[in-house]
């Protein structure tokens, strides 16, 4: 019988250490990259490897951890589930079960007390409180509320999944690979350990740093700034500037309006690279049961968002108190 972990009272020490590594180590890596390349420019190989690992591991989070495992937005085979789980683990945002249970809790309590990374819950309306809220949602939660919910309510299906448990147990191996593979690629292609180290800095440390803060921005910026075309019970918003680096995750209001949807960019012109990947898998026969709201569902939710706006405009025209 599978043993279900119970709720913790605070973020575990390994999780805190992982947060420290993810937040504190990459900036020195970026400084090292600047020093290594000072007056010599950026090597094309390093940038090419950075792009390859950024895309692969980033999609491991957006397609794998988020849309496949958290929301079950589509179905795929066991080998592909394993691939997405491993690539997501290599993004260094924590083990799969921890990531998913935290995110499911975020949706259940979005911007209310108990949300692991809300910039609003527990914070006031002053400028200082807004800054503190954004800090908590962006980074601070990694050291206080990350990984608190690991039990039955949000993760039973994961703890009963042998494949997921096996990949979680090997998490440190995936962390080693996310740094070791760029070094190996640089070494084999360029033929020296120095070039291997350069590749590890750019395609390892710098890449982790960049994608971490893109992901953190979904938690913070996308709950504070941007557009709300759909009615939701929280402050989720769409931020167009983050759409490409986040692979479509920044259409966050659309996601919170339809959490199970494999497509987050629900309106014309909203580029959603993760949804395109899932669609490509479907066309190749590698994915099925793709979830997406139909046009009527989208229109109803958009109309629901417009009603409060019209009421607010009417109040302002008549001078009524809010």
């Amino acid at each position: 019988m599978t043993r279900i972990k119970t709720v913790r009272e605070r973020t575990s020490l390994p999780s805190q250490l992982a947060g420290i590594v993810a937040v504190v180590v990459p900036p020195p890596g970026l400084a090292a990259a600047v020093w290594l390349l000072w007056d010599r420019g950026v090597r094309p190989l390093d940038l090419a490897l950075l792009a390859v690992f950024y895309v692969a591991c980033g999609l491991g989070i957006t397609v794998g951890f988020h849309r496949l495992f958290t929301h079950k937005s589509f179905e795929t085979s066991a080998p592909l589930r394993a691939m997405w789980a491993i690539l997501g683990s290599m993004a260094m945002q924590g083990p799969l079960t921890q990531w998913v249970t935290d995110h499911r809790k975020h949706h259940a309590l979005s911007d209310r007390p108990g949300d692991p990374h809300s910039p609003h819950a527990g914070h006031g309306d002053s400028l200082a409180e807004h800054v503190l809220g954004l800090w908590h949602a962006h980074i601070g939660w990694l050291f206080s509320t990350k990984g608190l919910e690991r039990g039955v309510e949000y993760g039973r299906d994961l703890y009963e999944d042998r494949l997921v448990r096996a990949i979680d147990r090997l998490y440190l191996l995936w962390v080693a690979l996310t740094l070791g593979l760029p070094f190996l690629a640089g070494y084999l292609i360029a033929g020296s350990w120095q070039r291997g180290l350069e590749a590890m800095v750019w395609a390892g440390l710098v890449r982790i740093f960049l994608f971490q803060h893109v992901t953190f921005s979904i938690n913070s910026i996308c709950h504070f700034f941007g557009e709300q075309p759909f009615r939701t019970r929280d402050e989720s918003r769409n931020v167009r500037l983050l759409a490409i680096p986040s692979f479509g995750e920044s259409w966050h209001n659309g996601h919170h309006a339809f959490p199970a949807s494999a497509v987050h960019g629900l309106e014309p012109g909203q580029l959603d690279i993760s949804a395109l990947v899932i669609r490509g898998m479907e066309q190749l026969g590698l994915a099925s049961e793709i979830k997406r709201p139909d046009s009527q569902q989208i229109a109803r939710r958009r109309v629901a968002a417009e009603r409060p706006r019209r009421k607010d405009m009417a109040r302002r025209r008549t001078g009524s108190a809010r």
Side-chain angles (χ1 to χ4, degrees):
M1 181 176 179
T2 302
R3 183 179 179 182
I4 305 296
K5 297 183 181 180
T6 57
V7 177
R8 294 194 181 101
E9 294 181 355
R10 63 175 292 109
T11 300
S12 67
L13 180 59
S15 181
Q16 289 181 329
L17 292 175
I20 291 171
V21 170
V23 174
V24 176
V25 173
L30 182 58
V34 172
W35 179 79
L36 287 169
L37 300 173
W38 190 258
D39 285 336
R40 289 188 288 172
V42 178
R43 299 182 191 276
L45 173 62
D46 300 326
L47 290 183
L49 289 173
L50 186 153
V52 168
F53 280 92
Y54 185 97
V55 171
C57 299
L59 290 174
I61 291 292
T62 63
V63 173
F65 276 29
H66 194 193
R67 305 189 197 198
L68 174 59
F69 289 101
T70 301
H71 296 293
K72 302 181 180 179
S73 300
F74 66 98
E75 298 290 337
T76 190
S77 64
L80 284 175
R81 292 178 77 246
M83 181 196 77
W84 287 122
I86 291 169
L87 288 174
S89 299
M90 288 174 62
M92 272 192 69
Q93 294 187 7
L96 172 57
T97 51
Q98 182 186 81
W99 200 102
V100 170
T101 50
D102 276 338
H103 192 72
R104 287 176 179 173
K105 186 175 184 180
H106 162 64
H107 273 271
L109 302 169
S110 187
D111 288 326
R112 292 178 290 160
D115 182 343
H117 46 66
S118 171
H120 301 284
H123 299 282
D125 293 327
S126 69
L127 176 60
E129 287 292 319
H130 285 328
V131 171
L132 287 174
L134 284 167
W135 167 260
H136 170 77
H138 197 78
I139 290 177
W141 79 285
L142 298 175
F143 310 105
S144 57
T145 56
K146 181 180 179 182
L148 296 188
E149 177 53 66
R150 303 292 303 280
V152 176
E153 185 174 1
Y154 300 108
R156 176 182 289 278
D157 58 315
L158 300 176
Y159 291 116
E160 293 178 348
D161 189 318
R162 294 177 61 185
L163 175 64
V164 169
R165 295 202 312 273
I167 290 172
D168 262 11
R169 284 196 295 269
L170 295 172
Y171 181 67
L172 293 180
L173 172 62
W174 316 132
V175 170
L177 286 178
T178 204
L179 298 174
L181 288 179
F183 173 85
L184 182 62
Y187 176 79
L188 293 176
I189 295 171
S192 71
W193 66 266
Q194 292 91 340
R195 293 294 299 276
L197 285 177
E198 287 183 12
M200 185 181 73
V201 168
W202 279 101
L205 297 174
V206 175
R207 179 259 307 171
I208 292 168
F209 171 75
L210 292 175
F211 191 74
Q212 292 283 26
H213 285 280
V214 168
T215 301
F216 299 160
S217 296
I218 306 302
N219 298 339
S220 57
I221 293 173
C222 290
H223 275 261
F224 217 93
F225 306 101
E227 301 174 346
Q228 291 181 297
F230 300 112
R231 181 70 182 273
T232 61
R233 63 182 182 181
D234 53 39
E235 294 295 326
S236 57
R237 298 165 186 267
N238 291 338
V239 179
R240 186 172 298 272
L241 288 175
L242 290 171
I244 293 177
S246 71
F247 304 126
E249 297 290 280
S250 69
W251 305 119
H252 203 52
N253 179 246
H255 171 51
H256 273 253
F258 302 97
S261 175
V263 180
H264 294 183
L266 295 168
E267 299 188 298
Q270 292 184 342
L271 178 61
D272 186 345
I273 296 172
S274 299
L276 293 176
V277 171
I278 296 170
R279 178 66 183 276
M281 292 173 61
E282 181 184 32
Q283 292 178 338
L284 292 172
L286 301 175
S288 61
E289 305 297 326
I290 313 297
K291 297 177 183 176
R292 188 189 191 280
D294 60 36
S295 58
Q296 291 183 338
Q297 291 173 313
I298 293 172
R300 282 197 298 270
R301 185 57 65 94
R302 188 183 294 114
V303 168
E306 287 297 326
R307 288 171 182 157
R309 295 193 189 106
R310 288 197 290 268
K311 291 179 181 178
D312 289 341
M313 291 175 65
R315 290 193 191 99
R316 284 193 288 269
R317 284 197 299 269
T318 60
S320 300
R322 186 170 181 176

